[in-house]
C-alpha cells in the first residue's frame, strides 16, 4: 500500500512536459523551453550533463525610409527626425547629395534622379519600407502640375510596384481664393492625393499643413520664418471657427513649425497604427504633441 502511494506521488510531481514520450527529440524539448541544449551525453567528472549552447540574439532589420526631396527645407528636417529614430535613411532629388555641410548629411544615402523620369527611381526604391515625399514647387501652371502632380504620381506608382508598405505625402491646406490663383499647384497636389489613396488605401497618409515656418536656408542666408509664423500659430491654432468665415476664413489657417511636420511625417511613415487618409493642420499640431508609443 505504501509503495503504491509513493509511486503515485512521484508521478504527480513530474510535470507532463518532462516525460520522455512527450519529446523524444531533445532539441524540440529545448526549443519549447526557450533555449538550445546539446543532445549528446558527454561525461564530465563522471556524470552526464546537457550543455547549454550560446543564445543567439536576433536583431530585427531597421526600417528603411526614402525621403523624396530630402535636401529641401522640409525634407532636411524629416531626414534629421528619421535619423534620430534610428532609421536607415536615403534621399532622392534632382541635385543628388545635399549641399548642406551639417554632420547629419553624412548619414544619409543620397540618390540623384528625376521623378518625371520613372526609370530613374528603381535603385532608390530597392529595399525601401516607407517613403515620404516633400516634392513640390511653383512656376507656370503646367510646371506646377508636373512637379506637384506628375512627379509624385510616378513616385507613388513606383513605390507600389516595389512593395513599399507606407507612403506619406506632404501636401498643402486649402486657402480658398489662393487655390484659384495657383491652379496648377493645387490641381497637381489633389491629383497626387487621389493616386495615393488609390494605391495605398491602408498605408497612405496625406499631411496638409498651411504656412510652414522655421529657419530656412537660401544659399548662405538663414531666413527666420518663425518670427512671423510662431506668433500666428499660437494665436490661430485656437481659432478654428474663424476659418469658416466667407472669403477670408481659409487665410486664417494657423502656420505650423517645420519640426512638427517632420515629427508627424516620420511617425506616419513607420507606425502601422497611424491612421491612413488626410491629416489637416490641426491634426498635425495634435499628433506632434503626442509622445511616441
Amino acid at each position: 500500500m505504501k509503495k503504491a502511494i509513493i509511486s503515485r506521488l512521484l508521478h504527480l510531481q513530474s510535470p507532463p512536459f518532462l516525460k520522455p514520450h512527450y519529446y523524444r527529440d531533445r532539441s524540440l524539448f529545448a526549443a519549447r523551453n526557450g533555449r538550445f541544449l546539446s543532445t549528446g551525453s558527454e561525461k564530465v567528472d563522471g556524470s552526464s550533463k546537457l550543455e547549454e549552447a550560446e543564445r543567439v540574439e536576433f536583431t530585427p532589420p531597421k526600417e528603411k525610409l526614402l525621403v523624396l526631396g530630402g535636401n529641401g527645407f522640409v525634407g532636411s528636417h524629416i531626414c534629421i527626425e528619421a535619423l534620430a529614430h534610428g532609421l536607415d535613411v536615403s534621399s532622392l532629388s534632382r541635385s543628388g547629395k545635399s549641399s548642406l555641410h551639417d554632420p547629419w548629411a553624412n548619414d544619409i544615402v543620397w540618390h540623384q534622379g528625376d521623378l518625371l523620369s520613372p526609370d530613374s527611381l528603381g535603385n532608390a526604391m530597392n529595399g525601401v519600407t516607407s517613403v515620404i515625399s516633400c516634392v513640390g514647387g511653383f512656376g507656370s501652371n503646367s510646371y506646377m502640375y508636373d512637379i506637384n502632380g506628375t512627379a509624385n504620381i510616378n513616385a507613388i506608382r513606383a513605390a507600389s510596384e516595389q512593395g513599399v508598405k507606407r507612403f506619406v505625402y506632404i501636401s498643402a491646406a486649402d486657402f480658398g481664393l489662393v487655390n484659384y490663383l495657383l491652379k496648377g499647384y493645387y490641381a497637381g497636389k489633389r491629383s497626387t492625393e487621389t493616386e495615393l489613396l488609390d494605391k495605398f488605401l491602408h498605408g497612405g497618409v496625406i499631411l496638409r499643413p498651411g504656412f510652414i515656418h522655421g529657419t530656412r536656408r537660401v544659399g548662405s542666408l538663414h531666413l527666420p520664418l518663425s518670427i512671423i509664423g510662431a506668433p500666428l500659430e499660437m494665436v490661430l491654432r485656437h481659432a478654428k471657427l474663424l476659418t469658416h468665415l466667407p472669403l477670408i476664413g481659409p487665410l486664417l489657417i494657423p502656420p505650423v513649425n517645420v519640426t512638427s511636420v517632420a515629427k508627424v511625417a516620420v511617425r506616419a511613415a513607420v507606425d502601422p497604427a497611424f491612421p491612413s487618409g488626410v491629416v489637416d493642420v490641426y491634426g498635425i499640431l495634435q499628433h506632434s504633441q503626442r509622445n511616441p508609443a
Side-chain angles (χ1 to χ4, degrees):
M1 183 67 178
K2 290 182 179 179
K3 289 183 178 180
I5 294 174
I6 291 173
S7 176
R8 185 166 183 81
L9 287 173
L10 290 174
H11 178 77
L12 291 173
Q13 288 174 351
S14 299
F17 60 80
L18 290 180
K19 292 183 179 179
H21 68 271
Y22 272 77
Y23 297 107
R24 294 179 181 177
D25 185 347
R26 204 175 297 173
S27 64
L28 178 59
F29 167 83
R32 290 293 181 92
N33 284 275
R35 59 183 181 178
F36 293 94
L37 303 176
S38 67
T39 56
S41 57
E42 298 177 3
K43 291 188 176 182
V44 179
D45 296 332
S47 61
S48 63
K49 173 181 177 181
L50 292 177
E51 296 180 354
E52 184 172 352
E54 182 179 358
R55 185 185 296 274
V56 178
E57 296 293 337
F58 172 72
T59 302
K62 287 184 178 180
E63 293 283 340
K64 188 174 181 181
L65 172 68
L66 173 64
V67 181
L68 304 178
N71 54 5
F73 173 48
V74 178
S76 60
H77 283 81
I78 288 175
C79 287
I80 294 170
E81 180 71 19
L83 289 173
H85 280 72
L87 305 179
D88 282 340
V89 187
S90 59
S91 174
L92 181 141
S93 62
R94 286 179 295 181
S95 60
K97 187 172 182 178
S98 174
S99 60
L100 301 175
H101 299 292
D102 297 331
W104 64 265
N106 297 323
D107 296 324
I108 305 293
V109 177
W110 300 97
H111 298 279
Q112 186 173 13
D114 187 351
L115 296 184
L116 293 175
S117 300
D119 293 340
S120 68
L121 305 180
N123 291 334
M125 289 283 183
N126 285 337
V128 168
T129 54
S130 54
V131 175
I132 301 176
S133 178
C134 315
V135 174
F138 297 95
S140 67
N141 278 322
S142 60
Y143 173 80
M144 287 191 291
Y145 185 86
D146 285 342
I147 200 67
N148 294 284
T150 306
N152 286 294
I153 290 171
N154 289 340
I156 291 168
R157 291 174 178 172
S160 178
E161 291 172 0
Q162 289 286 338
V164 172
K165 294 186 294 185
R166 297 183 69 81
F167 196 113
V168 180
Y169 176 53
I170 310 299
S171 188
D174 288 322
F175 282 103
L177 292 176
V178 176
N179 292 24
Y180 293 98
L181 300 176
L182 299 170
K183 290 182 180 179
Y185 179 86
Y186 280 96
K189 292 282 188 185
R190 299 302 174 249
S191 294
T192 296
E193 293 180 1
T194 300
E195 185 71 19
L196 179 57
L197 295 179
D198 177 59
K199 292 293 191 294
F200 287 87
L201 179 62
H202 300 294
V205 179
I206 298 162
L207 304 186
R208 285 185 178 177
F211 172 63
I212 301 176
H213 65 88
T215 300
R216 185 165 192 163
R217 292 186 181 182
V218 180
S220 60
L221 298 177
H222 292 70
L223 303 179
L225 303 179
S226 290
I227 291 179
I228 298 173
L232 285 175
E233 176 183 342
M234 186 163 297
V235 171
L236 295 177
R237 68 187 303 168
H238 303 295
K240 188 174 181 178
L241 291 176
L242 295 179
T243 61
H244 299 296
L245 293 174
L247 299 178
I248 65 169
L251 299 177
L252 300 177
I253 292 174
V256 61
N257 190 280
V258 65
T259 302
S260 297
V261 176
K263 181 178 180 179
V264 178
V266 172
R267 181 182 169 193
V270 300
D271 183 0
F274 196 100
S276 301
V278 178
V279 182
D280 65 10
V281 177
Y282 303 98
I284 294 172
L285 293 171
Q286 183 179 6
H287 282 293
S288 68
Q289 294 172 350
R290 293 179 180 175
N291 294 323

